[in-house]
Amino acid sequence: MTTIRNGRVPQRRIAETVAAELRDLILDVEDYRLPTQEQLVKDFGVSYPSIREALRILETEGLVTVRRGNVGGADVHRPDETSAAYHLGLSLQAGKVTLRDLADGLRMLEPLCAAECAKRSDRAEVVVPALTAAIDSSIGLVTDGVEFTHTARDFHDLVVSFAPNATIRYAVGSYVALWSAQEEAWAEARTRHGEYPSQLEAEEAVRAHRRLVDEIAAGNAAEAERLARAHLAATQALVLERYGDRIVNASAAMSRQAIHPGRRSRI
């Protein structure tokens, strides 16, 4: 177990120095739990205000959530593609990037992951069973717009998570998570207005997923990439028809995680 360095921390930028050491521990140590503030004061040899400021720095980065009051403390959050999607969304929102532009980028990148899945030598043992299970989970939800959209988006998460290259998994996974947030927000809005696409369209999405899995299982990388791109274009069109010119909404990424706290990184 990694331990915190004892001794006095230099007075210059004390809080930043403490935050930097704690950040390294959070990122390097699986299931790291923050000590109490009292223990941190002893370990670092600094004042309570310096520790509190360090925790505020980490809180703004999304690495901890500080609980205040009688049950105070701090919970640690290791970054995943959802948290990365939020910060990516902030940048896109600040840059006035539209949903249409995000969709175009995703159509370039996600199908490459489907092709890489088809190239895996262990696809029959690892990739295909997981994707098939995801499809089976969605079948019973074709009449429930919001839940079907959530489960169908999980299928896309899985496809990306099985890409062999870690950098691609994290980068494209962030784009997928960000788009999923926008699409699920769209599904909720359309369901409230009684305008969610028909059951037949949901069933067609299930069939498209099955065809894609068949090509991955057969090792047909080029066809898997083509099918994935065609399926993305078809499903994105439903959102883009009405909302394509809207600016990417970063807060939607956070709301999706609040609604579905079980959605975690599979990378």
Side-chain angles (χ1 to χ4, degrees):
M1 177 69 181
T2 304
T3 57
I4 298 173
R5 178 176 55 80
N6 259 314
R8 296 292 299 177
V9 177
Q11 290 300 306
R12 181 172 174 265
R13 296 185 301 184
I14 292 175
E16 287 87 347
T17 302
V18 173
E21 293 205 28
L22 291 176
R23 185 185 301 111
D24 286 343
L25 286 168
I26 291 170
L27 297 177
D28 294 342
V29 180
E30 191 76 27
D31 298 324
Y32 175 72
R33 299 183 66 179
L34 275 172
T36 63
Q37 289 192 28
E38 290 81 1
Q39 188 61 48
L40 289 172
V41 166
K42 292 178 182 178
D43 289 338
F44 284 99
V46 300
S47 65
Y48 279 95
S50 294
I51 292 298
R52 286 193 288 269
E53 178 61 24
L55 292 177
R56 278 193 289 268
I57 292 171
L58 297 175
E59 192 170 25
T60 62
E61 296 173 354
L63 294 176
V64 304
T65 298
V66 177
R67 291 179 278 107
R68 296 169 175 85
N70 294 332
V71 291
D75 298 321
V76 171
H77 309 290
R78 285 175 61 84
D80 61 14
E81 76 275 13
T82 303
S83 56
Y86 174 60
H87 292 286
L88 171 65
L90 289 175
S91 298
L92 296 183
Q93 187 171 344
K96 309 302 181 187
V97 175
T98 65
L99 287 181
R100 194 177 309 281
D101 190 272
L102 173 61
D104 288 345
L106 196 57
R107 283 201 307 278
M108 296 178 192
L109 297 172
E110 185 182 330
L112 298 176
C113 296
E116 290 303 309
C117 286
K119 296 176 184 177
R120 286 184 56 153
S121 59
D122 62 351
R123 60 187 180 277
E125 296 79 25
V126 177
V127 180
V128 172
L131 293 178
T132 300
I135 294 171
D136 292 342
S137 297
S138 69
I139 291 175
L141 300 172
V142 292
T143 59
D144 186 335
V146 174
E147 283 305 312
F148 175 78
T149 297
H150 170 56
T151 305
R153 292 308 307 167
D154 278 348
F155 176 87
H156 292 260
D157 294 342
L158 273 173
V159 170
V160 175
S161 76
F162 286 123
N165 183 272
T167 300
I168 292 297
R169 291 199 304 271
Y170 279 98
V172 180
S174 297
Y175 285 103
V176 171
L178 184 56
W179 176 263
S180 292
Q182 317 300 313
E183 189 169 311
E184 289 181 32
W186 162 84
E188 289 186 3
R190 293 305 91 211
T191 298
R192 284 196 301 270
H193 291 86
E195 298 175 353
Y196 189 83
S198 70
Q199 180 178 337
L200 291 176
E201 289 171 295
E203 291 171 344
E204 174 54 34
V206 172
R207 287 191 291 271
H209 287 177
R210 287 206 184 279
R211 289 195 295 271
L212 178 56
V213 172
D214 288 343
E215 297 301 331
I216 289 174
N220 297 329
E223 184 62 11
E225 181 176 344
R226 187 194 69 79
L227 283 176
R229 187 164 286 114
H231 171 57
L232 276 176
T235 55
Q236 289 174 345
L238 299 172
V239 179
L240 299 178
E241 180 181 10
R242 184 169 300 191
Y243 301 124
D245 293 329
R246 288 193 178 183
I247 303 301
V248 170
N249 180 5
S251 64
M254 295 303 287
S255 66
R256 293 313 98 203
Q257 181 152 6
I259 291 170
H260 302 295
R263 174 177 279 174
R264 301 297 296 167
S265 173
R266 296 188 181 88
I267 294 173

